[in-house]
Amino acid sequence: MSALAGVGVGRGIAAAKVLRMPEPLAPPSDEPLAADVDAEHARVQQALAHVADELNARAAAAGGEAQQVLEAAALMAQDPAILDDVRSRLDGGANAERATWDAYAQFREMLTAMGGYMAERATDLDDVAQRVVARLRGVAAPGVPVSDEPFILVARDLAPADTATLDLERTLALVTQEGGPTSHTAILARSKSLPAVVGVVGLLDAAADGQRAIVDARAGTVELDPDDAAVDAALAEREARLAAASAPITAGALADGTEVPLLANVGSPKDAAAAVAAGAEGVGLFRTEFLFLDASSAPSVEQQTASYTELLEAFPGKKVVARVLDAGADKPLAFLNDAHEENPALGLRGIRALRANEAILRDQLTALANADAATDAELWVMAPMIADVEEAEYFVALGRELGLKVVGAMAEVPSIAVVADQVVEACDFVSIGTNDLTQYTLAADRQLGSVAALQDPWHPAVLRLVKMLGDAGARAGKPVGVCGEAAADPALAVVLVGLGVTTLSMSASAIADVRAELLTVTLGQARARAERVLGARSAADARQLAAAVAAG
């Protein structure tokens, strides 16, 4: 038996035979075009339309977060700029497959160079290109293999179109060689409550079709060729974990009764039902961008009020933390900032962009205050990318002026932790966005595959910043929450509580796993794990140290 390690997603465990994802299509030949240009152009048009229709159909069937991801991919097959590029390459003598391949490759390079959210789209773009070229060749597009038996899917990485429509009756777990804890594979696996281990170095060299394997997401391990006793133990452990996850919903708490409210991250009012069903005790991150991202101008106060009211009405008497518009960099909006920036991730984004367009910010805060007054929810409002106390004071003062009762700051820029004592005095609360905090602390774009290994919230530098914020909050008597993907990692959730975090917010599907994990430790035990990992030398070391303390 051999063991491989990666980053686990969730607490699940599975034992089955391995089924490998087929390798991508080989690049097209450079043979010159031997057909009529107009006819080949029409053939590419038809292939693009077919792929777009297929992706939209998968989106409709998938629903939820997966639907949004797939619809975005479908738009990549409908982009007129791609078709124009293909036409120019056909006119230059390239064959249809090569013209399409190269057009998407050029687009991919452009997205990768932009970084952030746009760089993440590059992986999705590869999948679209493969599907279009496969259509032109008349062959099946690379995708999830079909099996009559349950299996563990092994791949270099998975495209959203594949992850979103997995047969959950037969796919017991996912294992990928690439990707990190915030990759689409990890996010969609978590949304489907599917055990996964990502970023497994050497996976494709070690795992073969038909091999038996045990995937333990909680431990972040993949055991190949286990014996019967190990498989039986894994299956027994799986049943125990399933029983724990299906236990009656209770409020988040530690074994000693210490309360740790578990909240949900939601992207629009339509996500509220799933959050309520999962037992969320409120909303820890309401992303308000859904009203802005597809708009040519900022929505009116009336439009915003209606949408915010709809969400708040789903959580009577419960806390809802709304983040004001987080745009710029990876989510560009022409009406907010249309200036070219050499490095937009470090440019006019978050509170900086809103401050430069205060009328938009005032309208949003007014709409939030209106919704608060019209409902029984407990509305908290925070601003993204707060860097220091001056920015915090600006936002809090404006929020108070416009009628908001609880106003706070998101901690995503490392500087806010350095001056945490000042910021918590100015704010009612702080919420840590671990995705961006990690990316800025390690100078590693969270959507860039080449630095994915650095994008890990277990890194001791990130955890030390979290402790600085937690300690400052405790001294001032102010709550400090986490609303990044780190909160959805059950083992890390325990460490975060030990570092002083008072609430955890995550995707609704992760709540059950985190709730079960918290019930296994006391506050003293959580603090012991936290103290141990602060001395770690790397993210991997931190995981191992936390696991060692947990094992006793």
Side-chain angles (χ1 to χ4, degrees), residues 206-223:
D209 273 336
Q211 259 186 309
R212 194 158 61 166
I214 296 173
V215 175
D216 189 338
R218 184 178 183 181
T221 59
V222 181
E223 296 182 15

Side-chain angles (χ1 to χ4, degrees), residues 180-202:
T182 61
S183 66
H184 265 156
T185 298
I187 291 171
L188 293 177
R190 189 174 288 119
S191 74
K192 293 178 176 295
S193 299
L194 194 62
V197 180
V198 300
V200 181
V201 177

Side-chain angles (χ1 to χ4, degrees), residues 269-333:
K270 67 181 182 181
D271 297 334
V276 172
E281 298 169 60
V283 173
L285 174 61
F286 172 29
R287 305 180 184 95
T288 60
E289 291 79 42
F290 74 99
L291 282 172
F292 293 81
L293 292 182
D294 295 325
S296 57
S297 59
S300 67
V301 171
E302 292 72 24
Q303 288 175 300
Q304 293 185 64
T305 298
S307 289
Y308 303 153
T309 300
E310 181 182 354
L311 179 80
L312 294 179
E313 286 177 340
F315 296 94
K318 295 182 178 180
K319 179 168 73 174
V320 174
V321 184
R323 179 183 68 192
V324 294
L325 175 62
D326 183 16
D330 55 349
K331 296 183 284 284
L333 290 175

Side-chain angles (χ1 to χ4, degrees), residues 168-494:
L168 299 181
E169 293 296 319
R170 293 181 174 82
T171 310
L172 301 186
L174 304 178
V175 187
T176 64
Q177 181 163 294
E178 298 178 356
T182 61
S183 66
H184 265 156
T185 298
I187 291 171
L188 293 177
R190 189 174 288 119
S191 74
K192 293 178 176 295
S193 299
L194 194 62
V197 180
V198 300
V200 181
V201 177
L203 172 68
L204 298 183
D205 290 333
D209 273 336
Q211 259 186 309
R212 194 158 61 166
I214 296 173
V215 175
D216 189 338
R218 184 178 183 181
T221 59
V222 181
E223 296 182 15
L224 299 175
D225 298 317
D227 57 28
D228 291 342
V231 171
D232 290 343
L235 294 176
E237 177 70 11
R238 180 174 184 270
E239 291 303 315
R241 294 187 194 181
L242 288 174
S246 61
I249 292 176
T250 58
L254 304 182
D256 57 9
T258 301
E259 294 183 358
V260 183
L262 301 181
L263 313 172
N265 296 342
V266 301
S268 70
K270 67 181 182 181
D271 297 334
V276 172
E281 298 169 60
V283 173
L285 174 61
F286 172 29
R287 305 180 184 95
T288 60
E289 291 79 42
F290 74 99
L291 282 172
F292 293 81
L293 292 182
D294 295 325
S296 57
S297 59
S300 67
V301 171
E302 292 72 24
Q303 288 175 300
Q304 293 185 64
T305 298
S307 289
Y308 303 153
T309 300
E310 181 182 354
L311 179 80
L312 294 179
E313 286 177 340
F315 296 94
K318 295 182 178 180
K319 179 168 73 174
V320 174
V321 184
R323 179 183 68 192
V324 294
L325 175 62
D326 183 16
D330 55 349
K331 296 183 284 284
L333 290 175
F335 61 81
L336 196 69
N337 177 26
D338 60 358
H340 172 73
E341 294 178 333
E342 290 297 331
N343 190 347
L346 301 179
L348 200 64
R349 62 169 300 190
I351 187 63
R352 304 168 187 174
L354 292 172
R355 206 167 177 179
N357 297 271
E358 191 176 286
I360 292 176
L361 177 56
R362 283 181 170 273
D363 281 354
Q364 184 170 29
L365 294 177
T366 298
L368 285 164
N370 291 344
D372 187 26
T375 65
D376 294 326
E378 181 186 342
L379 178 65
W380 296 21
V381 180
M382 61 185 179
M385 304 296 292
I386 294 291
D388 56 30
V389 68
E390 192 276 332
E391 288 184 343
E393 288 174 340
Y394 162 79
F395 182 70
V396 171
L398 190 59
R400 298 250 195 275
E401 175 192 333
L402 296 172
L404 293 168
K405 305 181 191 73
V406 185
V407 191
M410 281 196 77
E412 300 160 286
V413 181
S415 60
I416 194 174
V418 179
V419 293
D421 56 333
Q422 298 174 352
V423 173
V424 295
E425 289 296 336
C427 296
D428 295 317
F429 70 99
V430 172
S431 183
I432 305 171
T434 51
N435 298 354
D436 270 328
L437 181 62
T438 303
Q439 120 167 302
Y440 287 122
T441 301
L442 279 300
D445 190 323
R446 63 191 176 104
Q447 306 300 350
L448 195 57
S450 61
V451 292
L454 291 170
Q455 180 53 44
D456 193 330
W458 277 93
H459 195 285
V462 178
L463 297 180
R464 291 185 186 196
L465 294 176
V466 172
K467 179 170 173 54
M468 292 169 72
L469 289 158
D471 288 348
R475 287 193 297 269
K478 304 285 183 68
V480 175
V482 165
C483 62
E485 282 297 315
D489 179 338
L492 185 50
V494 171

